[in-house]
Amino acid sequence: MPAASFPISYVLIFRQRALPRFLATFLTPKGQSEIRLLHRVEEAIKSVQEPDFPSGPLTIDVVETVASTPSFIRALSDFQMKYSQVALSLVTGTSQQNYEKVLNRELDGAFFTGEFDLAPFKVAYEIREEVLLLTNADGHASPLELANVTWVVFPKRCPLRAASVDWLHRQGVHAANTIEVSNLDTMLNCVRAGIGYTILTESVIAEDDGRLRAHPVPERHRFVTTRLVTRKERLSSKAFEAFADCVREAGKRKRHQHT
């Protein structure tokens, strides 16, 4: 069927199910052109169907180091109070997973940490954060101790995990014992209990948590950048833009509190 004659229902079904990456790889130039046409048709449909105010479904993927921070919770609270007609769905995932899902149009937007190709994206918000080594209250950061402790880490391809591996490799440690977790609370509780060490962004550490001790990390790993992005499209989602506004406003308040 020629691309121009695809019925609207066909376009919507195509949009709701992201094209498998292996299939996208083998599309002919003509097939790729037809897919771009489908995306333009869908954008035209959205411009007619979307009301003037933020509403409808909005799916955002979040990394663990963002999901539980006070500024993010404040942004969620403001968003829900202002835009109750938006059905917000939040899913936690790793930075790599979130990047790939928003790249493949499976999400409206996503947070991810670290350096990725940003060319396909509109960056709605970004924050540069300090990275710290976390131990229990009695822990130390001597090279000998770092080489012999267990490390509590997020799944592979996490930029914080990669930083800890690189740090240890540079000290001659190539096979550190690790415990892999996917939940921030589990990670922090493991560190508090003395099960292992980890490195995390400063924003997830409560100042009054007496069971944790923070230590500096090498300069090459001292900072990471986390971004909220969406795909570059001719028509942006009003719901996403409203969500991004709330995130930016919460970020501004956080900076003012620290100045």
Side-chain angles (χ1 to χ4, degrees), residues 204-251:
V204 306
I205 308 166
E207 294 181 4
D208 59 350
D209 193 333
R211 294 183 294 164
L212 292 175
R213 175 182 290 182
H215 310 262
V217 301
E219 188 65 30
R220 65 183 289 108
H221 301 303
R222 187 179 170 194
F223 295 100
V224 293
T225 300
T226 298
R227 297 175 175 89
L228 169 64
V229 307
T230 187
R231 288 278 313 192
K232 287 180 180 175
E233 306 284 10
R234 287 180 175 82
L235 296 172
S236 59
S237 160
K238 292 183 177 64
F240 177 84
E241 291 301 328
F243 178 80
D245 284 343
C246 291
V247 172
R248 285 190 290 265
E249 184 59 32

Side-chain angles (χ1 to χ4, degrees), residues 38-53:
L38 288 176
H39 287 147
R40 288 197 293 271
V41 171
E42 191 223 354
E43 287 176 1
I45 295 169
K46 284 171 61 179
S47 69
V48 174
Q49 294 179 335
E50 188 173 24
D52 293 333
F53 52 88

Side-chain angles (χ1 to χ4, degrees), residues 9-77:
S9 60
Y10 235 77
V11 177
L12 293 179
I13 290 172
F14 169 87
R15 179 62 178 86
Q16 289 171 359
R17 292 173 174 82
L19 189 69
R21 297 181 68 191
F22 73 88
L23 181 56
T25 302
F26 293 104
L27 282 174
T28 64
K30 180 180 178 181
Q32 293 174 358
S33 176
E34 291 178 349
I35 288 171
R36 286 193 293 270
L37 176 60
L38 288 176
H39 287 147
R40 288 197 293 271
V41 171
E42 191 223 354
E43 287 176 1
I45 295 169
K46 284 171 61 179
S47 69
V48 174
Q49 294 179 335
E50 188 173 24
D52 293 333
F53 52 88
S55 62
L58 178 67
T59 303
I60 305 289
D61 267 22
V62 191
V63 289
E64 282 280 334
T65 51
V66 167
S68 61
T69 59
S71 61
F72 183 68
I73 299 303
R74 188 180 303 115
L76 285 184
S77 176

